[in-house]
Amino acid sequence: MADRSLRGMRLGAQSLQSEEGVTFSPRVGHTYRCETCGRETVMIFSAEAEAPDEWECKYCARTATRLVDSMPVIVDHSDEKIPRTHWDMLLERRTRDELEELLEERLSVLRLRRGGQQKIGA
């Protein structure tokens, strides 16, 4: 350690690494067009990766579609599941009549509790 000296550098001045001997993987550019704003964006992917048919537009954040031979790819959304809401799951377990009956029971309990309290400051 005595024969080597450490030298100081300014922060952000330059990198000590070089690109010598580095082999970059092959890249492919795919063009996406946004139907909302009409702009095209080129995204760079690895040549081995499968490019998605849709990408978020970097200008308006809407969905942009990949172009193949200057034509947009047709995206099939038929196999996507529609998210279920809490109401949908509740209706799978109970009928509307049962839910209305439960609501009336809870409202009557709340009304009794509210009516039984004394007003403060009166």
Side-chain angles (χ1 to χ4, degrees):
M1 187 74 166
D3 59 341
R4 293 177 50 191
S5 65
L6 296 174
R7 295 189 179 143
M9 289 182 63
R10 293 188 318 251
L11 285 175
Q14 68 186 48
S15 174
L16 297 176
Q17 294 182 339
S18 69
E19 294 182 4
E20 186 176 321
V22 175
T23 306
F24 294 105
S25 63
R27 306 280 180 200
V28 175
H30 293 281
T31 305
Y32 291 86
R33 181 185 299 142
C34 178
E35 294 299 323
T36 305
C37 66
R39 295 187 180 175
E40 292 186 2
T41 305
V42 177
M43 299 302 299
I44 307 297
F45 294 96
S46 171
E48 299 147 3
E50 182 178 333
D53 290 335
E54 294 179 325
W55 195 262
E56 182 178 302
C57 177
K58 67 180 184 179
Y59 300 103
C60 68
R62 304 284 175 129
T63 303
T65 309
R66 185 167 54 101
L67 299 177
V68 176
D69 298 328
S70 300
M71 295 299 295
V73 174
I74 298 172
V75 181
D76 183 23
H77 292 287
S78 63
D79 60 339
E80 292 181 9
K81 290 178 94 176
I82 298 172
R84 295 186 311 171
T85 64
H86 294 290
W87 179 249
D88 294 333
M89 291 185 268
L90 188 62
L91 287 177
E92 290 175 3
R93 296 190 305 266
R94 308 237 185 206
T95 64
R96 277 187 96 92
D97 293 333
E98 290 174 330
L99 291 172
E100 287 179 13
E101 183 180 333
L102 286 171
L103 177 64
E104 284 303 317
E105 287 177 15
R106 291 305 301 160
L107 287 174
S108 65
V109 169
L110 289 173
R111 286 180 187 129
L112 283 174
R113 190 177 347 157
R114 187 177 276 178
Q117 294 178 348
Q118 296 285 333
K119 287 187 178 180
I120 299 174

